[in-house]
Amino acid sequence: MPRSSIRPWPLVLFVLISYGIVWILVESALVLHAPLLPLLVVGSWAPNIAAVFVLGVVLREKGGIRALFGRWLRWGFPARWYLAALTAPALAFLSIPLFLLFGGSLAASTLGLGSVLMLVVVEIVTGATGEEPGWRGFLQLRLQEGLTPLVSGIIVGVVWAFFHLPLWLVPGGSWATLPFWAFGLSCLSASVVFAWLVNGAGGSTVIASIFHFFMNVSAGLVGLIGMPIVPLYKIYAILLTILAVVVGLLMEAARRKAVPSSAASSR
């Protein structure tokens, strides 16, 4: 079955609005000397806000917004995809023995109930909830109208990585201490995994939120245990890349297997 063509301009507008919201919030915090964290919480919802605006105001798609968040409420997919989402914490905690194996040492642990609860709450209300209907439910699935899931995931990964770039421009900010290449590589690789999960779960984007939540919380827990953040991001990015290569090959194999079947059924 031939793929339909992509309408690029709504997707470009979605990206520009998402980027614009974050840039405006970060610049406002710098100019007004306002606390950055509350604005970043709002900014993490930029992809969802942009998707709602494009669907409801620009495209005026009947039922488009309902479908967008309906995918996020679609929990009824096979249990194996929930288990697949556990690869995120598995890779994060695997980074600890790898770090120690290559001569690293852990700092004093700051792990405590209060810090864990704060981490969980922040991650629930930020990226895992605020970004995924937009990135995966809108951009990923719209790109798949003309591209393969793998290529679509790579494109979303690049867009997603540079969405965070303003954080590296905050003077004295903690993000500036991280190598952007490692963060960007983790976004790109994780986005391929997101594409695999969303398509495997029948278009449900709740699985993307679960994986995103596990990815951020587990990395945060590893940091609280005492692993320095820079080597953590470097090792985590490499492990995510290995996982992305594996699932990318799986997606391509499944796609090529499905193409002859589709061609045969159309005859």
Side-chain angles (χ1 to χ4, degrees), residues 18-103:
S18 300
Y19 279 26
I21 291 172
V22 172
W23 277 100
I24 290 170
L25 289 172
V26 170
E27 288 299 318
S28 298
L30 295 178
V31 171
L32 301 175
H33 303 288
L36 187 60
L37 182 59
L39 295 179
L40 291 182
V41 172
V42 176
S44 68
W45 282 76
N48 287 358
I49 295 170
V52 168
F53 179 82
V54 171
L55 285 169
V57 178
V58 179
L59 296 177
R60 298 184 181 181
E61 288 189 5
K62 186 177 181 180
I65 297 174
R66 181 184 300 174
L68 177 73
F69 291 103
R71 296 187 196 98
W72 192 70
L73 298 173
R74 196 181 299 168
W75 293 79
F77 45 83
R80 64 179 180 273
W81 295 106
Y82 287 101
L83 293 176
L86 294 177
T87 53
L91 295 183
F93 285 101
L94 179 58
S95 65
I96 297 176
L98 290 175
F99 175 62
L100 297 176
L101 180 65
F102 286 97

Side-chain angles (χ1 to χ4, degrees), residues 210-257:
I210 292 171
F211 186 79
H212 196 154
F213 174 80
F214 280 157
M215 189 170 67
N216 289 356
V217 168
S218 57
L221 289 175
V222 170
L224 292 174
I225 288 171
M227 184 167 173
I229 194 69
V230 172
L232 167 60
Y233 264 83
K234 289 180 179 178
I235 295 174
Y236 203 12
I238 293 170
L239 293 175
L240 281 170
T241 301
I242 295 171
L243 177 61
V245 170
V246 172
V247 301
L249 291 173
L250 291 175
M251 282 194 292
E252 281 299 288
R255 182 183 67 84
R256 290 171 182 172
K257 183 178 179 181

Side-chain angles (χ1 to χ4, degrees), residues 5-18 47 49-61 134-135 138-140 142-143 145 159:
S5 59
I6 303 172
R7 297 174 66 188
W9 70 267
L11 305 186
V12 172
L13 181 60
F14 162 79
V15 172
L16 291 176
I17 294 172
S18 300
I49 295 170
V52 168
F53 179 82
V54 171
L55 285 169
V57 178
V58 179
L59 296 177
R60 298 184 181 181
E61 288 189 5
W135 291 140
F138 181 78
L139 186 57
Q140 171 77 36
R142 295 279 167 149
L143 285 169
E145 293 176 1
V159 171

